[in-house]
Amino acid sequence: MAFILIAYNNDTSAELHEFMESCGDNVMQYCYDKQIEYTQLTPPYLTEHEMMSQIKEHHICFIAGHGDDDGIYNETDEDVISTRTTNYNFQGKALYCVSCCSAVNLCPSLMQIGLKLYVGYNDTFEVRGDYSPFLQSALSGLKCLLDGDDAKTAKEKMNQIYDEQIDILNQENPWAAVCLLHNKESLVFQGDENYSI
C-alpha cells in the first residue's frame, strides 16, 4: 500500500496553479528524500472517481486545489472531494488540504464517516508575494506527520513554523505577513490528537 496520495491542480487555466504545483512538487520531493511511497494525481485525472479509487490504497491524502465551504474542485470546477461526493473510502484515513474554506462543511462531514485527521482552513487561503513562507508554513504539519509525529505535536510544530515565518515577513513584507497570519488563524487541525500515520 502506498503511503500518501499527492493531489494538486496544476492546470494552467487555474488561478495560482504555480503555487499549487509548487505544493505538490515540494511534498513529492520530501517523500522522495525520505523514501516514502506516494502516488501523484493531477489534471486531467484529478476527478472524484480517481480520488475515491486511489485513496483506498493510501494512508493519507494531500490536496492543493481551489475550494469553498463544501469541498475542493478540479480545473473544470467539478467536485474532487466535497459534501456531495461519496466519501466512505476516507474512513480511517487522513486528509491534509491547502485550499480555501473546506474546513467549514467538508471537515465535519468527513469526521462523521470516520476520517481520522483533517488539516485545512475555515476561511480563504491567502498567498502574497514570495511563495516560500506560504509553502513552508502550509506544508510543515504534513512533513511532521510524515516524519512520524502525532497530530498534537505536528499541530504545535506547524503553529511554530507559522509564527517564525510571520516574524520574518514582518521585516520584509508586512502585507504578506498579514496574509500569512490570516492563514494561521484560519487553520483547522481536527481529529485524534494521538493519531499518527
Side-chain angles (χ1 to χ4, degrees), residues 1-147:
M1 177 182 283
F3 200 76
I4 179 170
L5 177 61
I6 302 171
Y8 56 96
N9 183 0
N10 64 348
D11 188 272
T12 55
S13 67
E15 185 180 0
L16 286 174
H17 68 272
E18 293 123 333
F19 178 77
M20 293 184 283
E21 184 167 56
S22 295
C23 286
D25 288 346
N26 193 297
V27 175
M28 285 189 293
Q29 184 64 52
Y30 195 79
C31 290
Y32 178 80
D33 292 344
K34 299 279 184 171
Q35 297 183 324
I36 296 168
E37 276 190 70
Y38 68 87
T39 303
Q40 178 185 14
L41 187 60
T42 56
Y45 305 105
L46 186 61
T47 63
E48 175 190 355
H49 174 76
E50 285 296 322
M51 173 62 72
M52 298 311 160
S53 61
Q54 291 280 354
I55 193 57
K56 288 190 288 190
E57 305 300 323
H58 296 79
H59 296 284
I60 181 171
C61 175
F62 167 80
I63 185 166
H66 290 295
D68 62 19
D69 290 7
D70 293 320
I72 302 167
Y73 310 96
N74 64 17
E75 75 281 5
T76 59
D77 293 326
E78 295 173 335
D79 295 357
V80 176
I81 177 169
S82 77
T83 56
R84 295 173 294 275
T85 54
T86 303
N87 300 319
Y88 292 105
N89 290 347
F90 275 89
Q91 187 173 20
K93 313 285 184 176
L95 178 63
Y96 194 107
C97 311
V98 178
S99 66
C100 294
C101 304
S102 62
V104 176
N105 295 326
L106 178 60
C107 174
S109 173
L110 290 172
M111 287 293 170
Q112 284 184 332
I113 63 164
L115 185 76
K116 289 291 186 183
L117 180 68
Y118 172 93
V119 182
Y121 298 86
N122 62 16
D123 204 340
T124 54
F125 183 88
E126 305 286 341
V127 179
R128 181 187 290 266
D130 179 22
Y131 289 164
S132 181
F134 293 87
L135 284 169
Q136 284 185 336
S137 301
L139 302 180
S140 58
L142 178 63
K143 291 176 179 179
C144 291
L145 292 168
L146 293 174
D147 286 343

